[in-house]
Amino acid sequence: MTERNQTTMVQQQTPLDSGSEALRELRAQARHAYERLGTPHIKAEEFNYVRTSEISPFLLPAASLATVASCHPSVEEVQKHILPESRQSYLVLVDGQYQESLSRPPKGLEINPVATLGEAEAASMLAPFLLMEEEDALSALAIAQCEHPLHLSVPAKWNSPTPIQVLAYAASPAPRTDIALMLTAGSLSESRFTFLTAGPEAMPESKRMDNISIRFDIEEGASLRWQQAERALDDTLHLCKLNGRLARDSRFSALSASPGSHLTRRVFTFALAGEGVDLELKSVTAAAGQRQSHSLVQINHLAPHCTSRQQFKNVVAEKSRSSVNGTIHVAKAAQQTNASQLINNLMLSDDAHADTKPRLMIFADDVKCSHGATVGRLDAEQIFYLRARGLTAEQARTYLTVAFIEEVLESAHSPSLRALLESSLIGPLMPHLAHAKKER
C-alpha cells in the first residue's frame, strides 16, 4: 500500500471510529450484520429481482472510495426544493450531514447529530435502535459507513402544525453517499414528515449510489405520517430502507413515490410490537425508459389486535422494470390481526417487466389476512369510451394512467406535494403515452 493510500484510509476511517460508545456499538453491529449477511447477490431472496452486478462496484470499503469535498448549495438553491407548506419547518442534509445554516427547524423538534452527543445522551437516544436487528446488507452498510448519522426526536404530546420537510441534497460527485437517519416519535405525539432528495442539475457523467437507512422508534400512542420521493436520474442508484418498531396504540403511515432510476431499491421493514398498532403503507412507481424500481416489504405482526394495510401501484413503460416482494408475518401471539396487501401493475409496453411476489406467513389462528396482485394493460374499452366523448387517444391514455396512480397520491400531505409527485411520475411517461401503439 502506498503512502498516499495509507493517508486516505486514515482520513476516512477516523470519523467512523470516533463518537460515543453507543455510536461505536451501533456501527459495530452494522458492520457485523453486513459481514453476516454477505455481499448482495441475485440468488438471495431479498435480491431476487435486482441486478446486483450494478451495486457491486459501489460496495468497496470507504477507504477505497474517492474522497471528494462537498460543494454546499446556496440558500437560493435549497429554497427551490422546499415545498410551500414547509417554508417554516425544514431540515437540510448535504451529503448526509445536517446543515444548521441552511435549515429552519420547527420549534420543539430536537435535532441531534449523533457524533457530537455525550456518552449518557447518546446511550439514551440510541438504546431503541441498538435493539433493531439489521437484516438488510445495504442498510447495514449505510449505518456502518455514515460519518454523520442524525437523530430527530419528536417530544411527547408534541403536534407538528405543518409537515416537516427533510431535504437530502447530494452535492458531492463522490461515487457513494451513505445517510443514516433515526427518528423517535414521543408518546402521544402527532407529526408529519416529507423526505425529498435533490441535487444540482449538472453532475459529472458517472454513476453514483445514494444509500439511505431510516429508522423509526414510534412510542406508545404516537402518530407519525411519513412521505417520501426521490428525483429521477438515469445515472443514479437510489437505495433506501425504512425500518421501524411500533409500540402499543401507535399509528404509522408511509407514502413512497418513485419514478425509478438506473436502479432504485426500496425496503420497508416494520415490527408491530404492541397491541392496537395501525400501520398503512402506500407506494407508487412510474418508470419509463430503462429505469428500474424494486420494493422489498416485511411486515411483522408480533402483538394482538394490530392492523396493517399495504397498497402498491406500479406503472412500467418501454423497457423499464419493477418488482414487489412482500411478506406479512403473523406471530403465534398476534391474535386478532387484520392485515392486507394489494399490488397492482400497469404495463404500457410489451418490453416492460413487472414481478410480484405477495406472501403470507401466519402462525396465529384468529386472524383476517389477505393479499392480491394484478398485472394488466390499459383497458381498450375504456379508451374507446373516452374517445367517443371527444378525447384524443393520447388524452384517454393519460387520464387512465393518472387515475390508476391517483388512488395512492390522494393521501399526499398537501396539494403542492401531490402536484410534485404527479409531475415527477407522469412526466416521464408522457412521450410513451403520446406515441403508444393503437390498443387492441
Side-chain angles (χ1 to χ4, degrees), residues 418-428:
R418 184 168 175 172
L420 173 66
L421 297 181
E422 288 177 345
S423 175
S424 64
L425 295 173
I426 299 299

Side-chain angles (χ1 to χ4, degrees), residues 2-19:
T2 66
E3 183 177 349
R4 180 180 179 181
N5 286 340
Q6 287 177 338
T7 302
T8 302
M9 180 175 292
V10 170
Q11 290 175 342
Q12 294 186 340
Q13 283 187 335
T14 299
L16 302 181
D17 295 331
S18 62

Side-chain angles (χ1 to χ4, degrees), residues 330-359:
V330 182
K332 186 176 181 179
Q335 302 294 340
Q336 295 287 307
T337 286
N338 189 343
S340 64
Q341 180 186 68
L342 179 61
I343 306 168
N344 301 122
N345 300 290
L346 177 60
M347 316 293 289
L348 296 184
S349 74
D350 294 334
D351 295 324
H353 197 95
D355 291 292
T356 300
K357 185 191 287 187
R359 181 168 53 183

